[in-house]
Each structure stands twice: as structure tokens, then as C-alpha cells.
Amino acid sequence: KSISGVSSGCQQGGCLTCSDYNGCLSCKPRFFMHLKRIGMKQIGVCMTSCPPGFYGTRSPERNTCTKCRSECDSCFDKNFCTRCRAGFYLHLGKCQESCPDSMVHNDTQRECVLS
Amino acid sequence: KIQDGEGPEAPSCPFHCHCEEDGIFLTVDCSEIGLSSVPSNLSPFTTYLDLSMNNISEIQPRAFHHLHLLSELRISGNQLRYISGQALQGLHNLRVLMLQNNQLERLPDDAPWDLPNLLSLRLDANLLSDVPSEAFEGVRSLRHLWLDDNSLTEIPVMALDSLPSLQAMTLALNQITHIPDYAFANLSALVVLHLHNNHIQSMGSRCFEGLQSLETLDLNYNDLQEFPVAVRTLSKLQELGFHNNNIKAIPERAFVGNPQLQTIHFYENPIQFVGKSAFQFLPKLHTLSLNGATQIQEFPDLKGTTSLEILTLTRAGLSALPLDLCEQLPRLRVLELSHNQIEDLPSFYHCSALQEIGLQHNKIRRIESSTFQQLTSLKALDLSWNVLESIHPDAFVSLHSLIKLDLSENRLSSVPVAGLGGLTHLKLRGNTFLYEAFGPDHFPHMRVIEMPYAYQCCVYASCDSYKPAGSWDTEQSNAHEDLQKRTVAVYQIHADAQYDPYLEDFQLEIEESKLQSSVQCTPTPGPFRPCDSLLG
Amino acid sequence: EHPLLRALIKVTLLKHEATGKPIVVEGLFVGGSAGKAEGRLMQYHPLSLCNTSEDERQDGDFITIVKLEHRVPRCLPLLDKARMALDKGAQAVIFDVSDDANAAAELREANSFSRPVVLVEAQGAEDLMGLVNKNEEANVVIEIKVEPKWLHYDV
């Protein structure tokens, strides 16, 4: 098992080049590169949508996954959440611990809804 | 309970899929198993279905008609070219539909998808060249829409009219060239709009009318020739990006309609002119960076822009700074004004939060005692490439946090050391009238020091180790070998290649005397750069 | 050329901490960063350390190891990557340069890192990365290596 050769370690569908120690080094066009932490290792993974808690950014050179804000379970970009973590409630893309006046918590959807 | 569709088709878990039960509900993962069609025996209690990364090129009519409880459907990474309205019939409770990374060329126009509760629709990374006017008539609750990385040449204005609840949309990575007036007139709830990486050259001056909730607008990487004055109607705008465009000027009162702005990114534009009042009254702006705007002769008037923390204004034509600069910008943390024509400096006394000052490549002649007075947080000061002739003895007295000072390439004959005890980096190269050697006792924490002459480095390493001319090669010896001689000669300790626990106290010795071996002083003395100054 | 001190990298698997003998690998300090460091070993992908907003914050003392690959386009110069790793709290950074010939030259140019930055290659690097691939928690101690007295005298 050579250190640098393209090796068996990465059969994922979206991977273009990879190595034993780093997993995917580049993805096929239009796939997102996600740097996945597994214990002390961090490997590259190529996917069509970023995992929960991350959002995708497309650019001509590379598509990457980036972590949402800590209070979001999922998000559209770093400023706009689409689902909140437990204890937070969504209103216009923001996850807050309380809702604006005239709105109440919906605990299943974790959202602020009109009262 | 987990079921695996391994055995003969399990009653509710399709072959090879991975299913998980949550009470009566079922999540079904059939991703990346080589499917060429939608499994037929899906349980009506399925709430989550992942069919991504398969070879599905078509969805049979009524494939999902019984999945009334389905909340999320993922069909990304397949080979779908078209999905008819009937194909998605019955998905009354669908909230998330992922169709990205397919080959969709068009959306249904005659009988659009009927998904009354859909919130998120991903159509990114497909081959859509236009969006029919009626395409979104059946998804009126939509909040998040991805149309990036397609082949759109226009904003789908009519189709967007059906989406009054839309909050976030990306049309990035398409071939859009123009934004017409009232393009987003009905999107009163839109908070985020990404238009980066298109070919937008022009915009109607009323193109953003109706976007009264917009907070983020991304116009980066386009061909805009003029400043987008249309942003004036965006009263809630917090983040604006138009970097990597072709804009040459920022007009007076450019952001008069955007009092909530926190960040503006416009680097990589050939900006020559900036209206003096362009950045006034932006109380939430914390970063302003302008590089290469050569027509700027006067420092901008930043009245009312009181939260600025980072100000970069380089490669312009500034010759002076306002005396009340720090009164206007009390929270300034980084001030970068390199490559201008500045001659005299005001007192930065009221900029007490300043941590970095970059004034390199200007025409500054002297530093007064008051110039940097009370800047107790200042860590880095770069005054290189000026015409400094004198620095007041008390100029650095109160700079308790200063660790990096660059005075290279000036005309100094002396440097006051009072207040500089914390330095780790000091650069004095190029001050040809500066002969004094500053010993380690002035700078107990020094790591990297650059002096005008080699002999001034001798105080940082015993010159004897360089001396015996006979053993000195014509070429300076290999740095690695040179280090061996110094380390061994100084410490006289035996050691073998393997780690030896008895060396523990020796390692500690290295710790204490680290100063001697880890201060990098250049130019390094040598046979042609002797320790004794040729001038005596 | 700045004097480059050699480093001793001693790695102990946490589960063998009491009994096991550490793996000792040699490296080269760059950027005048010779010094002592200790922490848990954490691998980073070469595409990581690209922007300050990146996701990961580790708790406790850790030492970053990155196996560089010439096939991976650089989002930042290596000097900036090293500084970013240190800014993110790494006690030290180890770069395996076995598969990136230019990396060593690029990193030797550095003149000021605040904490140790070490290059490893060849068999030493393979031993280290082999251990990373086990994905078992390991503790690392980095020290300045003292060369033997008679190593360079012609006797």
C-alpha cells in the first residue's frame, strides 16, 4: 500500500482523486467536498448535499461544505438557518431562545409562529 | 428498530435499503445502491426517503401517490431529465425536496408540482436554461430555493411572483447578464439573495424594489461596470458583496439607504474614485477596506460610522490624516494605510483599541512623543520605507503590548528603546546611519532581529565561534553544521542518537538558554562581515 | 540560511501510556520555532486550514499533523496554513512533506512562528501516518534534539 498512490481507501461515488491518509483529495464536478472528522482523523468526503449542520457553497473552482452557526441544525448559508437546535426557535433565518412579541414557540418545528 | 432489506423483500423495507422505525413512522435510506427506478413497495408510513446517488432516469407516474406522510424526499445525484406534475402527486406533507445534481432541462409548465407544504426545494446543479412562469404555482409556501449552477440567462421574474413566503434564494453560477426593474417585487420576505458568479453587467435602478427584508446580497464575481445604486432601497441590508467586478467609482452618499450595513466586500475592483461622503452614517460597519483607489486624495469623511474596527486604505493618494481621526473612529483595532503619501501623523491618542498600525511606504519624517501615546494594546507597528530621521525618546514609552516593530529602510541614526522591552521582532535594516548595537538586555523576548550591519548581530551569538579564520571555508559553512559546533561547543554534553532520559535536565538547560540559540539576528557575521566594525 | 534545529517527536498511544515505549521520530524545526510542545495528535486534511471561519475548535492541548499532497491545490501558502493552525490553538504543527517536494523549501523560508512547526518525511513520516491511520488517541511530545558530541569531528 503505497503512501501516495491512489489507493483502495476511497470508493465513494463522488471522489475524483484520493489517498490513503486523507481520503478524497478532489471531487467530481458539482460534488461538495466535506472534511469529515472521525476521532483524530479528518478525511475528505464527496457528496451531493452537505451533512446536517453544514451548508454547501458552490464556486467555479470548488464546492465546499462549511459548518452552520452553532445554534442551527441546518442552514442555507452562514447567516441563515433553516432548522434550529433544541432550545432555539427559528424566525426569518435566525435561531433565538425566545420569539418576537405576537409570536409563540412551536416546539416540534422549533419555530416561532403567529399566536 | 432497524430493518434491512436483505432477505426476500421485507414487507416495508425495499430490497437493499436501510430502514429505521420511529414509532409507526419509517425512515428509508436507499442511497447509492444502484437503483434505476423508485422502489414500488414503499410503506405509506415513510416520512424520510433517500434515493440519492443512484441511476434513476425517470420517475414513474404515481410513484409516491400513497406517501402522504413523507416529509423529506432526496433524489439528488441521479440522471433525471424531467419530472412531471403527476410524478409528485400525493406528497401533501412534503417539506424538503432535493433534486440537485441531476440533468433536469426543464420544469413542468402545464401541470406544475402540487406540493402545498414544501419549504425547501433544491434544483441546483442541473441544466435548467429557463423557469416557466407557472413552475412554482403549486409550491406557494416555499421558503428556501436553490437554482444555482444551472444555465439560466435571465432572472425568472414571473415564476418568482408565486413565492411570497420565499426567505432565501441562490441564483449563483448561472449566465444572467441583467437584472430588470422590479425583478423581485413580490419577495417581501426574502432575507438572503445570492447572485455571485454570473455575468451581470447592468441593473435597473429599481431592480431591488420590494425586497424590504433583504439582509444579505451577494453580487461577487460579476461584470458590473457601475456601482449598484439600486441597493439604495434595501433598508435592512447588513451584508453586501460586490468584489471581483469592474466598478471604477463609489459615488457620494453611496450607502445612504443602508444604515444597517455591517460588512461591505468590494476588493478586486478597479476603483479609482470614492466619494468623500460614501461611507458616512454606517453605525454598524466594522470593516472598510479600499486598495488601489489612486484618485482618493483626501481621507474619507467617516462621520457617523463609529463602529469601524478595521480600516484599510492603501495605495491611494493620501497626504495627510484628519486630526480628529480617532475621535471619529474610537473602536479602531487595525489601521492599514501603507503606500500613500502621508508626511505628518496626528496623535492616535484616542484610538486606544488599536492593535496594528501599517504605515509603511509613506513619507513620514518624524515621530513625536504624542503620536503613539497611550496605545497600550498596540502589538504591531510598521513604519518601514519612510524617510524617518528622528523619533522622540518617549515615542514608544507606553506601548506595553508591542511585539513587532519595523523601522527598516529609513534614515535613523538612533532608536529610543524605552518601552520596547516586550519586542520579539525588530527590523532596522537599511538605516545606514545607525551604528549602535542593541544588546539582548534591551530585548529579553527577542526572536527575530534585523540590523543594518552584521557586527550588530555579534551581541546575539559568541563571535569566537566564527573567528578562527583558518578553519573558515571560503563559503559560509552549512548552517546545519555550524549549529552543531555551537551547540556542542557550548554545552559539552555527550548524547547518542536515541533519546536518553538522563538528558531531561539537559533539555531544561536548553530551555533556559534558549535566548542564546533561538534569536535570529541578520545579517549573520562572517569573514567578510566581521564582528569588529570596520569603522572602529 | 537560518540554523535549523532537529526535533524529536515522541508519540505514545493513550491506551499504552503506562507501559508502551513511545515511537520516536525525527523532524526538522522550521521558522525559528525550535522548542518543546505536548498535546494530543489531531490529523487535518490538506484542504483544511483555508479560512479563519472554519469549523473546528479542539479542546485541550493538541498537536496538528497534516500530510501534504502535491495533487491538492493550495488554498493558502503553507506559512499561512501553519500560522492558522497555531492560531486555532495547536501547540505545534507537524507537516509530512514526503509527497510534496516543494513544501519543505517553502516552509524553510519562514522566519517566525510562535510555536514549533516541524517537517517530517520518509520512514519517520510513514511511521507517524501509519499510527494516525489506526485512528487511536495518541499523545505527542516534541523536543529539540541534541546531536552527539563526536558526530562531526574527524577522529
Side-chain angles (χ1 to χ4, degrees), chain B residues 404 425 427 447-448 450 479-481 483-484 486 488 492-497 499 504 506-507 510-511 514 520 522, chain C residues 1-6 8 10 28 31-36 111-114 143-150 152:
Chain B
K404 292 189 176 181
H425 296 71
K427 298 185 177 178
R447 293 181 71 102
V448 176
E450 291 177 9
H480 195 81
E481 201 178 280
L483 178 76
Q484 310 314 331
R486 279 180 41 228
V488 173
Q492 301 297 332
I493 294 290
H494 299 273
D496 56 31
Y499 170 65
E504 187 63 38
F506 164 68
Q507 299 287 13
I510 275 198
E511 288 300 311
K514 258 175 81 172
Q520 264 161 218
T522 53
Chain C
E1 165 137 348
H2 307 311
L4 296 180
L5 289 176
R6 296 192 66 77
L8 274 184
K10 292 174 282 182
L28 204 62
S33 67
K36 189 166 186 164
N111 69 9
S112 64
F113 287 127
S114 52
E143 288 170 351
I144 301 173
K145 183 191 175 190
V146 175
E147 301 299 341
K149 176 172 180 182
W150 46 80
H152 289 284

Side-chain angles (χ1 to χ4, degrees), chain C residues 21-38:
Chain C
K21 190 170 189 288
I23 296 174
V24 182
V25 169
E26 280 197 28
L28 204 62
F29 288 108
V30 288
S33 67
K36 189 166 186 164
E38 181 165 359

Side-chain angles (χ1 to χ4, degrees), chain B residues 212 369 390 464 516:
Chain B
Q212 58 245 43
S369 64
S390 77
D464 304 343
Q516 193 70 14

Side-chain angles (χ1 to χ4, degrees), chain A residues 55-101:
Chain A
Y55 67 94
T57 307
R58 291 187 187 278
S59 79
E61 303 79 32
R62 182 187 312 143
N63 306 314
T64 53
C65 296
T66 307
K67 201 169 180 50
C68 302
R69 287 179 187 275
S70 58
E71 64 273 17
C72 311
D73 264 0
S74 61
C75 65
F76 184 90
D77 71 13
K78 73 176 184 306
N79 295 322
F80 193 92
C81 302
T82 50
R83 181 174 170 76
C84 297
R85 201 160 46 96
F88 292 83
Y89 301 93
L90 184 65
H91 179 58
L92 285 178
K94 304 281 186 300
C95 285
Q96 290 151 344
E97 290 176 280
S98 58
C99 291
D101 299 341

Side-chain angles (χ1 to χ4, degrees), chain C residues 17-62:
Chain C
E17 192 139 36
T19 57
K21 190 170 189 288
I23 296 174
V24 182
V25 169
E26 280 197 28
L28 204 62
F29 288 108
V30 288
S33 67
K36 189 166 186 164
E38 181 165 359
R40 267 176 314 115
L41 191 59
M42 286 302 258
Q43 182 208 355
Y44 277 72
H45 191 279
L47 276 177
S48 69
L49 302 171
C50 282
N51 52 50
T52 51
S53 70
E54 237 171 50
D55 342 322
E56 292 208 316
R57 283 279 144 186
Q58 307 295 343
D59 30 8
D61 288 349
F62 66 97

